[in-house]
Amino acid sequence: MTPTLIALLQISPDQALEPWTLRWLTQTLCTMLVGTTCGLLGCFVVLRRMALIGDALSHAVLPGVVLAFLFTGDTQPIPLLIGATLSGIITTVLISLVVRTSRTKEDSSIGIVFTAMFAIGIVLLSGLETSTHFDLGCFLFGEPLAIGAGELWMMGIICPLVIGAVVLMYHRLKLISFDPTVAAAMGVSVVLTHYLLMGLLSVTVVAGLKTTGVILVVAMVITPASAAYQLTNRFNIMLILSAVFGAVSAGVGMSVAFVFNSPTGPAMVLVAGGIFALSVLFSPNHGWVFDRLRRLRLARHVAAEDVLKALYRLGPQPADAWVEPVGGETGLSPRKLLKTIARLRDEAVVAFIEGRLALTEAGSRHARELVRSHRLWETYLVNEAGIPVEAVHDPAERLEHAHELSDALFEALGQPDQDPHGSEIPRVSDE
């Protein structure tokens, strides 16, 4: 039994209900708003391949936070938000300046600027008096227990603001996310939109400082969006899924952290990572599991068609001696061959007739389509692709399974009667 399971079984009812207090609800609601906002903006970061700049902004806001504290002498959220936002915007501008005025590539520029800004923050922080009430660990690693009504009010404003901006600028943001060149040609101000997006991202990163900290907030920006990207090809659905994943990661992470008395930021990031892992495994279009199932189904389909074609060439085989010749023709092992024949018998395309394994009428028709497809593809490869006659058999063996293209291929090749080897190409109406 694992330590985690033991700890779960040892939880008392009071301990299990302890998190569900008004204070916990306030803190969890605030973190869920942060997760929603991070997930929403993360879609643009992921699609524009700006994950590194998200990481950069999360670190580069530190000097702004420290300077705001130096000027105000307090850790109230609004001054810190203003300072961090200005710091994030300055970072974005500096990265653009470095790229435009030097030979440095964008990724290197991001690395140079954000580490310099983070270093400035650390230097400023080290200059504070030792008696100063400024918890660096809270901003580096997050401390949701420090969230108060001020942070909740701040997120209550920022989250609708970001959602409203995305809704109002949906088409513009979508355009620059997929093709900035076309967006610029259509009159969209790509630079202005970029800085607006960076401004919103900076504000969101600052808002997430007390929940996950500057180190892990980038994970809440990138991970939910990456999970949503695995699950859908539609941009609007991706935005919704990413926002939901961000909120769920924050809410579940907070609950797990409270119950097990573990750090909240890492708990939220681990939940988000779990959602991403599930999306990688079970995404209907891009997931590993469904991809393996599609490959297995395709392999079975190809094996079945190879067997049909082999029986078409060999003719009916004795019921007690068909495995060796058909196996030699198809390359299938006896075990796979027996399973394939069982499926083909269920589909009524092969049958044992008068002590011989033979194609049924439906099986003969299917096999003839495969032969026709094979010979048409050989003709295409020789006539159109310029491949030598002696080298076209193996490629045609693979292409013949796309026999639904045979009619189009037949017309495109001028309705040939023979393949490059001189063999007759069966017609659809042939018996």
Side-chain angles (χ1 to χ4, degrees):
M1 188 176 293
T2 64
T4 302
L5 184 57
I6 293 174
L8 184 62
L9 295 175
Q10 292 177 344
I11 294 173
S12 65
D14 292 340
Q15 188 180 359
L17 294 174
E18 184 180 359
W20 282 270
T21 62
L22 180 59
R23 184 182 178 189
W24 178 85
L25 289 174
T26 302
Q27 294 163 346
T28 301
L29 177 60
C30 185
T31 55
M32 289 181 71
L33 290 174
V34 172
T36 302
T37 313
C38 286
L40 197 60
L41 291 175
C43 294
F44 304 103
V45 174
V46 169
L47 290 176
R48 300 185 69 193
R49 300 180 181 179
M50 295 168 54
L52 186 55
I53 202 169
D55 190 24
L57 287 175
S58 66
H59 288 74
V61 297
L62 184 61
V65 171
V66 179
L67 284 173
F69 176 76
L70 286 173
F71 280 112
T72 62
D74 202 348
T75 57
Q76 290 299 314
I78 299 301
L80 299 186
L81 174 69
I82 296 172
T85 303
L86 291 175
S87 186
I89 292 174
I90 290 172
T91 301
T92 307
V93 172
L94 286 177
I95 291 171
S96 298
L97 280 177
V98 172
V99 172
R100 293 179 181 180
T101 59
S102 71
R103 296 182 64 191
T104 310
K105 301 297 183 184
E106 185 174 11
D107 56 343
S108 300
S109 303
I110 293 172
I112 293 169
V113 173
F114 97 75
T115 51
M117 293 291 286
F118 191 65
I120 291 172
I122 295 294
V123 170
L124 291 173
L125 202 58
S126 64
L128 296 177
E129 296 179 3
T130 54
S131 58
T132 302
H133 179 65
F134 188 90
D135 187 358
L136 176 62
C138 172
F139 288 94
L140 289 180
F141 305 109
E143 182 50 77
L145 294 179
I147 291 175
E151 282 78 13
L152 181 59
W153 275 106
M154 183 174 69
M155 279 313 304
I157 296 172
I158 291 175
C159 186
L161 179 68
V162 171
I163 293 174
V166 170
V167 171
L168 291 175
M169 301 175 62
Y170 174 77
H171 295 291
R172 179 176 300 186
L173 291 172
K174 181 180 178 181
L175 200 54
I176 69 165
S177 296
F178 287 98
D179 199 331
T181 304
V182 172
M186 295 176 66
V188 176
S189 178
V190 177
V191 175
L192 182 62
T193 308
H194 171 76
Y195 284 123
L196 176 62
L197 189 61
M198 290 302 101
L200 292 174
L201 188 60
S202 300
V203 170
T204 304
V205 166
V206 175
L209 288 180
K210 283 192 176 181
T211 57
T212 56
V214 297
I215 305 294
L216 296 177
V217 69
V218 66
M220 294 300 291
V221 173
I222 298 170
T223 310
S226 299
Y229 189 51
Q230 280 287 122
L231 295 174
T232 181
N233 293 324
R234 298 181 61 184
F235 186 58
N236 54 347
I237 301 297
M238 180 183 173
L239 289 172
I240 296 171
L241 285 177
S242 182
V244 171
F245 289 160
V248 170
S249 301
V252 175
M254 281 286 288
S255 302
V256 171
F258 269 87
V259 172
F260 292 101
N261 193 25
S262 60
T264 52
M268 287 187 279
V269 173
L270 287 175
V271 173
I275 293 174
F276 174 73
L278 290 175
S279 70
V280 170
L281 287 175
F282 299 108
S283 169
N285 295 323
H286 310 290
W288 185 85
V289 172
F290 286 97
D291 180 65
R292 297 302 299 175
L293 289 176
R294 281 192 291 271
R295 288 173 182 270
L296 179 61
R297 195 178 300 121
L298 178 62
R300 292 174 59 180
H301 175 75
V302 170
E305 291 194 336
D306 286 344
V307 169
L308 290 179
K309 199 173 68 172
L311 285 173
Y312 183 81
R313 288 174 176 168
L314 297 172
Q317 295 295 305
D320 56 351
W322 59 269
V323 174
E324 185 174 347
V326 177
E329 189 77 10
T330 60
L332 296 174
S333 65
R335 181 169 169 269
K336 288 185 177 179
L337 200 53
L338 290 171
K339 288 185 176 180
T340 303
I341 288 294
R343 287 198 305 273
L344 292 175
R345 290 182 66 188
D346 291 341
E347 296 172 6
V349 289
V350 300
F352 287 101
I353 304 171
E354 298 178 352
R356 300 171 73 86
L357 177 64
L359 296 172
T360 64
E361 184 178 348
S364 296
R365 189 163 54 249
H366 195 147
R368 196 162 49 249
E369 290 176 3
L370 288 169
V371 172
R372 178 171 182 258
S373 175
H374 181 96
R375 292 174 182 174
L376 283 170
W377 278 114
E378 283 188 335
T379 306
Y380 175 84
L381 292 173
V382 171
N383 294 351
E384 305 297 327
I387 298 177
V389 175
E390 60 274 12
V392 296
H393 178 74
D394 289 342
E397 280 286 309
R398 294 188 290 273
L399 291 168
E400 69 186 14
H401 299 287
H403 47 82
E404 65 275 9
L405 301 176
S406 295
D407 290 341
L409 206 57
F410 180 70
E411 296 297 330
L413 293 171
Q415 301 182 359
D417 295 322
Q418 294 182 333
D419 69 2
H421 302 287
S423 300
E424 182 184 0
I425 297 176
R427 299 299 179 101
V428 177
S429 58
D430 288 351
E431 295 295 334

